[in-house]
């Protein structure tokens, strides 16, 4: 598990650097949103990886930042859908309005989350504890699935219209691995199993954004 988590962290960092290089040549919104999401997922994976070397207050601070970046950046999947579907100006403005609201809720959820320490497979990490407010848990679920499902729907549309399956595959793999833990009863491994979906999601988003905005 430790080797896999560190490997995913490195791969996500490499993809983030590649995205930054592409953005230096030409800043385009779809790729910019993808890069920000990739950074958030990289930091999340790195924060979990550091659970093998950090402890105490340092690990708790990193863990809180993990939750904050997740809450702020995952809603950017919605603008990706809007740009992929080439929404008109009003549609993009409406999408960004919803996104900003979700980002605000995500930030509030991350700050309200009560962190509880846990250890599995040699990895020590902080997760949402029992004292986390119910509304914060609901917001977390909305961010996790309420953004991936639109991504899959947009992926189907772009696949049918443009013969481009990458966006659908990004959403599909994220949904598949996020659901695999609960479906198999391994709730304690959800964080680990979903990381494979995250790396596949940003990989296919990167492929899609590079081709879509040429």
């Amino acid at each position: 598990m430790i080797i896999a988590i560190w490997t995913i962290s490195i791969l996500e960092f490499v993809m983030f650097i590649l995205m930054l290089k592409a953005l230096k040549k030409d800043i385009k919104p779809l790729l910019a949103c993808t890069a920000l999401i990739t950074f958030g997922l990289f930091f999340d994976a790195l924060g979990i990886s550091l659970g093998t070397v950090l402890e105490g207050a340092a690990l708790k601070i990193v863990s809180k930042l993990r939750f904050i970046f997740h809450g702020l950046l995952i809603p950017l999947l919605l603008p990706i859908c809007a740009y992929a579907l080439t929404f008109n100006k009003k549609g993009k403005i409406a999408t960004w309005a919803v996104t900003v609201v979700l980002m605000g809720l995500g930030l509030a959820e991350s700050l309200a989350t009560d962190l509880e320490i846990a250890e599995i497979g040699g990895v020590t990490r902080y997760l949402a504890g029992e004292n986390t407010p119910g509304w914060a848990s609901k917001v977390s679920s909305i961010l996790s699935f309420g953004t991936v499902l639109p991504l899959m729907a947009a992926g189907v549309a772009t696949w049918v219209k443009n013969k481009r399956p990458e966006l659908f595959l990004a959403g599909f793999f994220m949904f598949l691995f996020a659901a695999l833990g609960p479906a198999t009863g391994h709730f304690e491994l959800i964080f680990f199993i979903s990381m494979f979906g995250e790396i596949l999601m940003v990989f296919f988003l990167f492929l899609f954004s590079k081709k879509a905005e040429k």
Side-chain angles (χ1 to χ4, degrees), residues 46-126:
L46 177 65
I48 294 174
S49 301
L50 290 174
T52 61
V53 294
L54 293 180
E55 59 183 19
L59 181 58
K60 192 168 187 177
I61 291 172
V62 170
S63 299
K64 178 57 74 171
L65 288 174
R66 282 177 45 227
F67 279 85
I68 290 173
F69 284 134
H70 183 274
L72 280 175
L73 299 178
I74 290 302
L76 292 175
L77 287 172
L78 295 183
I80 286 177
C81 296
Y83 289 112
L85 296 173
T86 61
F87 280 7
N88 58 28
K89 185 176 181 180
K90 290 183 179 179
K92 290 176 182 177
I93 291 175
T95 302
W96 272 109
V98 173
T99 301
V100 170
V101 171
L102 288 178
M103 292 174 75
L105 289 173
L107 177 60
E109 170 263 325
S110 65
L111 295 176
T113 298
D114 178 65
L115 297 182
E116 179 180 287
I117 199 166
E119 190 277 332
I120 184 170
V123 177
T124 301
R125 67 190 182 97
Y126 279 92

Side-chain angles (χ1 to χ4, degrees), residues 150-163:
L151 184 65
M152 291 178 63
V156 171
T158 56
W159 195 352
V160 171
K161 182 179 179 181
N162 304 320
K163 310 302 180 185

Side-chain angles (χ1 to χ4, degrees), residues 149-194:
L149 292 177
L151 184 65
M152 291 178 63
V156 171
T158 56
W159 195 352
V160 171
K161 182 179 179 181
N162 304 320
K163 310 302 180 185
R164 297 283 310 284
E166 296 95 340
L167 195 66
F168 171 77
L169 292 174
F172 171 75
F173 282 117
M174 185 64 254
F175 181 84
L176 174 66
F177 283 94
L180 197 57
T184 57
H186 295 292
F187 293 95
E188 75 284 0
L189 293 176
I190 291 175
F191 81 98
F192 176 62
I193 297 173
S194 64

